[in-house]
Structures are given as structure tokens and as C-alpha cells.
Amino acid sequence: MSRITSMLVTHKKASISEIENAWHGDVEALLKWVSSHDTVEECAVLKTCNRVEIYVVSPRGEKVLFEIAKKARVSSRIIDIHDHDESLLHLLRLASGLESMIIGEDQILGQMKELYRIAKSLGYTGWVLDTAFKKAIQVGKRVRKETAINERSVSVGSAAVDLAEQILGSLEGRSVLVIGAGETGELISKALVSKKIGALYVTNRTFGTALSLAASLGGTAVPYEEMKRKIREADVVISATSAPHYILLKEDIERAMEGRKSKLLIIDIANPRDVDEAVREIEGVELHNIDSLKQISDENMRMRMKEIEKVEAIIEEELELLRAKYKRKEAEELLARIYSEAEKIKEQEVRRAMNKLSAYHTLGEIEQKVLMDMSHSIVNKIFAEPTKALKAAAEKGDTEMLRYAADLFRLNQEESD
């Protein structure tokens, strides 16, 4: 059974710009590229504002991933390569919120479900990755049900709101423009409403989406083409679109600041970024991006840290069950090959016996069936105890016994041939 290998580029080693540069295309294009490698049997991709992670099932997984990194010009300095067991542990920790920039955030679980759905719907996953991702999603749900890891926790979107509140002292009565009405924009908008802001403006390239979100929260939808003019009225701008390029340039903000005396706070949490970094040079404007979010919510972080031990206990328990499932599958595949070889020998010998008997008298259907059933029973009885032993060895992690069995039946030699 081929195993999982993963390559991670995350906020732990890489800056936001390095994560952005790790892959410029969309998820489907990356999946297609990865799957084009001859030895890749399955693949999946997790791409968010804080990470680009590639999972492959391949007998040469590490080599494939290093080739991808080299072609994409991703520095080895910011890459982590995980083997099968490390990949399984990472997926369970990721789904549980332990690998997020903000421990315990809920958004990653939804992102994982959607990105896995895309890979599966396009036919890029199979039993090995399906088993891992389904278990990770199940564990993520269990962790949130049985622990308080996500209580008082914040998504990247709500963290942006907390950051704005910290910088300005209070958001009460403030005018806020949210650019982007997708999942993150919705989280931002909901978090803002709880802060008693003075006015909420929502804009989106598809006006109907902005209209729907604004109406549900008592805000005002702004046509996308009027967005830059609306910035003049805003105290805070939080941008979270999926645009592949800057949507706000330095000259756009300079025009918005003409004749203005009050400060403008802009928080850009998009990946790739929505706001040109040159905006920092404009007087009266304060620009923050995802990197700034690393510095917030210390108190909430301490609360969540207390829950980590409980979460890790759940992960350890579930990881053992997951490993056992893979081990059983490995034994089942080995046994299937052994039985397949035995079946070939059985068929040959039964046919030979039938041919010899046919030389003396005609064999009817009943006689032929008796011979086939007898040979089938003999094979099953011979392999009954070895089957139990190999399954038990697999569950105990005794890979040596599995390897010896493969050698005994010359299955490894068959692979090398």
C-alpha cells in the first residue's frame, strides 16, 4: 500500500508573502499539476491565507514533492516534508485547530472540508486520502464538541476585528467598510455587529452577495464600483477578497485621504493581498496584514492553551484508531495478493486433475463442482491461521512479519521484477 507524504508551507516558517508566492494558481490547477506526476496515485491540496499544503499518495512521495517545490521555486527553508505517520498527526491537529495561527479557530475545519470535497469530486483522492481526511474532519468536530478549545477563540476574520478594536481603543460608533462578502467577509461582518459599530458597509464584486449579507446584519451594501469613494467615509477598512491582484493601490487611498483629518485603519487579510504595501507611506493611514494578527488575543490564547491537553488526548486516541485502520488495510492487501496467487495455482491444478480424469470418463457438472469446492476449501483452511496471524501482526504494527510473509510468497520479488 502506498503511503501519504505531505509538503507544508505555513505561517510557522513562512511570511505571508512567501506563502502567497508558494503557488499563484487556483487549487484545481495545482491538483492537476501534482496529479500529472507518473507515480502520484492520489493527491489533495489545502490552500488558505496561512498555508499551502500538498498531500500525495506515491511510492516516491518525497521525491515528487521536492520536484514540485523546485519547479515552483519554493525555498527549502520554508518547507516541511512529513512522512505518512507525521502527515496523519498533522491533519488531525490541523482539523482540531492546533496548527492554526490562532489556536482553536473554527474556520480551518470548514476550509478543510471544502478543499477535500474539491479534490474528491475531481477524482484525485482514493481510499488512502479519503480515510485520512474523513477521520480528520470527524476528529475536528469531536474536539469542538468535547472541549472548549474554540470558546472565546477567533477566526482570522474576527481576529482582524479584535486588532482594529485594540488599535482604536473601541469600535463603538465607528464606520467600517468590509470588502468581500464571502465566508471570511461574513465572519468579519458578524464580529463587527457585536462591537456596536456606527455603520457597517459591505461591498463585493457580485452586488447581490453584498446586498444579502448587509441585509441580514442591518448594514448597507455598496456597489463595487463605488467602493473607493466609500473609503472616504470609513474609519476602518477590512479587506478579504479572493482577487488575484491588488484591488486598492496607493493612488486610490491617496485620493480617499484628500482633505481628511481623521485616521484611516486598513486591515488586509486576503491572500494574495488586496492592498498595495505602498499604502503604508501615506500620512494618516495605518495598514496591517495577516502578519499583524500573530500579536493579538493573548488572554484568549491562554484560555485555549488550557484545553490543548484535552485535545491532544483525543487526537492520540483517534490517531491510534486511524493507524490501526491503515495497518489492517495493509494486511488485507497482502492477503489479497497471497490468495490471488493461491487461486491461480488452485485453478491450474484442478484443471490438470480434470484433464487426467477426463481421459478415463466424462466429468459431469457435479463432479467438476465437487473438485472446485474441495480445492477452494483446502486453500481457505490452509490460509485460515496465517490470515489471522497476519491481521494480528498488522494491528500490532509488526511490519516485519508482513515483510517476511511477502518474501515467503515471493511477492516482493514480483514487485521488483
Side-chain angles (χ1 to χ4, degrees), residues 35-61:
S35 68
S36 69
H37 284 69
D38 292 340
T39 62
V40 172
E41 300 164 15
E42 303 177 32
C43 64
V45 169
L46 298 179
K47 186 175 185 292
T48 73
C49 57
N50 290 324
R51 65 189 67 251
V52 176
E53 301 186 355
I54 302 174
Y55 295 80
V56 298
V57 176
S58 169
R60 298 180 179 177

Short mmCIF file of all heavy atoms in Angstrom, two decimals, residues 35-61:
data_model
loop_
_atom_site.label_atom_id
_atom_site.label_comp_id
_atom_site.label_asym_id
_atom_site.label_seq_id
_atom_site.Cartn_x
_atom_site.Cartn_y
_atom_site.Cartn_z
N SER A 35 -1.06 15.84 -9.79
CA SER A 35 -1.51 14.52 -10.23
C SER A 35 -0.86 14.09 -11.55
O SER A 35 -0.89 12.91 -11.91
CB SER A 35 -3.03 14.50 -10.39
OG SER A 35 -3.43 15.33 -11.46
N SER A 36 -0.27 15.04 -12.28
CA SER A 36 0.35 14.71 -13.57
C SER A 36 1.65 13.92 -13.41
O SER A 36 2.13 13.34 -14.37
CB SER A 36 0.61 16.00 -14.36
OG SER A 36 1.64 16.77 -13.74
N HIS A 37 2.19 13.88 -12.19
CA HIS A 37 3.41 13.09 -11.96
C HIS A 37 3.07 11.60 -12.06
O HIS A 37 2.08 11.14 -11.49
CB HIS A 37 4.00 13.40 -10.58
CG HIS A 37 4.72 14.71 -10.52
ND1 HIS A 37 4.06 15.92 -10.61
CD2 HIS A 37 6.05 15.01 -10.39
CE1 HIS A 37 4.94 16.90 -10.53
NE2 HIS A 37 6.14 16.39 -10.42
N ASP A 38 3.91 10.85 -12.75
CA ASP A 38 3.61 9.45 -13.05
C ASP A 38 3.36 8.60 -11.81
O ASP A 38 2.53 7.70 -11.84
CB ASP A 38 4.78 8.82 -13.85
CG ASP A 38 4.89 9.42 -15.24
OD1 ASP A 38 3.89 10.00 -15.71
OD2 ASP A 38 5.97 9.32 -15.85
N THR A 39 4.07 8.86 -10.73
CA THR A 39 3.97 7.98 -9.56
C THR A 39 2.91 8.42 -8.56
O THR A 39 2.73 7.76 -7.53
CB THR A 39 5.32 7.88 -8.84
OG1 THR A 39 5.70 9.18 -8.36
CG2 THR A 39 6.40 7.34 -9.76
N VAL A 40 2.23 9.53 -8.81
CA VAL A 40 1.21 10.02 -7.87
C VAL A 40 -0.11 9.29 -8.10
O VAL A 40 -0.70 9.36 -9.17
CB VAL A 40 1.00 11.54 -8.00
CG1 VAL A 40 -0.19 12.00 -7.17
CG2 VAL A 40 2.26 12.28 -7.54
N GLU A 41 -0.55 8.56 -7.08
CA GLU A 41 -1.80 7.79 -7.17
C GLU A 41 -3.00 8.61 -6.67
O GLU A 41 -4.11 8.46 -7.18
CB GLU A 41 -1.66 6.52 -6.34
CG GLU A 41 -0.53 5.61 -6.81
CD GLU A 41 -0.15 4.57 -5.77
OE1 GLU A 41 -0.92 4.35 -4.82
OE2 GLU A 41 0.94 3.97 -5.91
N GLU A 42 -2.77 9.44 -5.67
CA GLU A 42 -3.82 10.30 -5.11
C GLU A 42 -3.17 11.62 -4.70
O GLU A 42 -1.97 11.66 -4.41
CB GLU A 42 -4.46 9.67 -3.87
CG GLU A 42 -5.06 8.30 -4.05
CD GLU A 42 -5.60 7.75 -2.72
OE1 GLU A 42 -6.06 8.55 -1.88
OE2 GLU A 42 -5.55 6.53 -2.53
N CYS A 43 -3.97 12.68 -4.65
CA CYS A 43 -3.43 13.94 -4.13
C CYS A 43 -4.56 14.84 -3.63
O CYS A 43 -5.72 14.70 -4.04
CB CYS A 43 -2.60 14.68 -5.18
SG CYS A 43 -3.52 15.23 -6.63
N ALA A 44 -4.21 15.73 -2.73
CA ALA A 44 -5.13 16.73 -2.21
C ALA A 44 -4.32 17.96 -1.84
O ALA A 44 -3.11 17.86 -1.57
CB ALA A 44 -5.89 16.21 -0.99
N VAL A 45 -4.98 19.11 -1.83
CA VAL A 45 -4.30 20.38 -1.54
C VAL A 45 -5.12 21.18 -0.53
O VAL A 45 -6.34 21.25 -0.64
CB VAL A 45 -4.13 21.21 -2.83
CG1 VAL A 45 -3.68 22.63 -2.51
CG2 VAL A 45 -3.15 20.54 -3.78
N LEU A 46 -4.44 21.74 0.46
CA LEU A 46 -5.07 22.69 1.38
C LEU A 46 -4.40 24.04 1.14
O LEU A 46 -3.21 24.20 1.38
CB LEU A 46 -4.87 22.25 2.84
CG LEU A 46 -5.47 20.91 3.24
CD1 LEU A 46 -5.18 20.62 4.71
CD2 LEU A 46 -6.98 20.89 3.01
N LYS A 47 -5.17 25.00 0.68
CA LYS A 47 -4.61 26.33 0.38
C LYS A 47 -5.49 27.38 1.06
O LYS A 47 -6.65 27.55 0.72
CB LYS A 47 -4.57 26.57 -1.13
CG LYS A 47 -3.88 27.87 -1.54
CD LYS A 47 -3.77 27.95 -3.05
CE LYS A 47 -2.97 29.18 -3.49
NZ LYS A 47 -3.66 30.45 -3.21
N THR A 48 -4.93 28.06 2.07
CA THR A 48 -5.63 29.13 2.77
C THR A 48 -4.68 30.31 2.88
O THR A 48 -3.57 30.28 2.36
CB THR A 48 -6.07 28.68 4.18
OG1 THR A 48 -4.91 28.60 5.03
CG2 THR A 48 -6.76 27.32 4.15
N CYS A 49 -5.10 31.34 3.58
CA CYS A 49 -4.25 32.52 3.72
C CYS A 49 -3.00 32.22 4.56
O CYS A 49 -2.02 32.96 4.49
CB CYS A 49 -5.03 33.67 4.34
SG CYS A 49 -5.77 33.28 5.94
N ASN A 50 -3.02 31.14 5.33
CA ASN A 50 -1.89 30.83 6.21
C ASN A 50 -1.10 29.60 5.81
O ASN A 50 -0.15 29.24 6.49
CB ASN A 50 -2.38 30.62 7.65
CG ASN A 50 -2.85 31.90 8.28
OD1 ASN A 50 -2.28 32.95 8.03
ND2 ASN A 50 -3.90 31.83 9.06
N ARG A 51 -1.50 28.95 4.70
CA ARG A 51 -0.82 27.70 4.37
C ARG A 51 -1.06 27.27 2.94
O ARG A 51 -2.11 27.57 2.35
CB ARG A 51 -1.25 26.59 5.32
CG ARG A 51 -2.70 26.18 5.22
CD ARG A 51 -3.10 25.23 6.34
NE ARG A 51 -3.06 25.89 7.63
CZ ARG A 51 -2.15 25.66 8.58
NH1 ARG A 51 -1.21 24.76 8.38
NH2 ARG A 51 -2.17 26.31 9.73
N VAL A 52 -0.07 26.57 2.40
CA VAL A 52 -0.24 25.78 1.19
C VAL A 52 0.31 24.41 1.54
O VAL A 52 1.49 24.26 1.84
CB VAL A 52 0.54 26.37 -0.01
CG1 VAL A 52 0.40 25.44 -1.22
CG2 VAL A 52 0.03 27.76 -0.37
N GLU A 53 -0.56 23.40 1.53
CA GLU A 53 -0.16 22.05 1.91
C GLU A 53 -0.55 21.09 0.79
O GLU A 53 -1.69 21.11 0.31
CB GLU A 53 -0.84 21.62 3.21
CG GLU A 53 -0.51 22.54 4.37
CD GLU A 53 -1.06 22.06 5.71
OE1 GLU A 53 -1.77 21.03 5.73
OE2 GLU A 53 -0.77 22.70 6.72
N ILE A 54 0.39 20.25 0.39
CA ILE A 54 0.16 19.28 -0.68
C ILE A 54 0.32 17.87 -0.11
O ILE A 54 1.34 17.57 0.51
CB ILE A 54 1.14 19.49 -1.85
CG1 ILE A 54 1.00 20.91 -2.41
CG2 ILE A 54 0.89 18.46 -2.95
CD1 ILE A 54 2.05 21.26 -3.47
N TYR A 55 -0.67 17.03 -0.32
CA TYR A 55 -0.66 15.65 0.15
C TYR A 55 -0.67 14.72 -1.07
O TYR A 55 -1.51 14.87 -1.95
CB TYR A 55 -1.88 15.35 1.02
CG TYR A 55 -1.89 16.14 2.30
CD1 TYR A 55 -2.31 17.47 2.33
CD2 TYR A 55 -1.45 15.57 3.49
CE1 TYR A 55 -2.29 18.21 3.49
CE2 TYR A 55 -1.42 16.31 4.67
CZ TYR A 55 -1.84 17.62 4.66
OH TYR A 55 -1.82 18.35 5.82
N VAL A 56 0.27 13.79 -1.10
CA VAL A 56 0.31 12.83 -2.21
C VAL A 56 0.38 11.41 -1.66
O VAL A 56 0.95 11.16 -0.59
CB VAL A 56 1.50 13.07 -3.17
CG1 VAL A 56 1.41 14.44 -3.82
CG2 VAL A 56 2.83 12.90 -2.46
N VAL A 57 -0.21 10.49 -2.41
CA VAL A 57 -0.03 9.07 -2.15
C VAL A 57 0.82 8.56 -3.30
O VAL A 57 0.38 8.57 -4.46
CB VAL A 57 -1.38 8.33 -2.09
CG1 VAL A 57 -1.15 6.83 -1.93
CG2 VAL A 57 -2.23 8.87 -0.95
N SER A 58 2.05 8.18 -2.98
CA SER A 58 3.00 7.80 -4.03
C SER A 58 4.13 7.00 -3.41
O SER A 58 4.54 7.27 -2.27
CB SER A 58 3.58 9.06 -4.70
OG SER A 58 4.67 8.73 -5.52
N PRO A 59 4.65 6.00 -4.13
CA PRO A 59 5.81 5.27 -3.62
C PRO A 59 7.06 6.14 -3.57
O PRO A 59 8.04 5.78 -2.93
CB PRO A 59 5.96 4.10 -4.61
CG PRO A 59 5.29 4.56 -5.86
CD PRO A 59 4.17 5.45 -5.41
N ARG A 60 7.01 7.28 -4.27
CA ARG A 60 8.14 8.21 -4.28
C ARG A 60 7.68 9.61 -3.88
O ARG A 60 8.05 10.61 -4.50
CB ARG A 60 8.77 8.24 -5.67
CG ARG A 60 9.34 6.90 -6.11
CD ARG A 60 9.95 6.96 -7.47
NE ARG A 60 10.52 5.68 -7.88
CZ ARG A 60 11.08 5.44 -9.06
NH1 ARG A 60 11.11 6.41 -9.96
NH2 ARG A 60 11.57 4.25 -9.36
N GLY A 61 6.87 9.67 -2.84
CA GLY A 61 6.24 10.92 -2.44
C GLY A 61 7.20 12.06 -2.16
O GLY A 61 7.01 13.18 -2.63
#
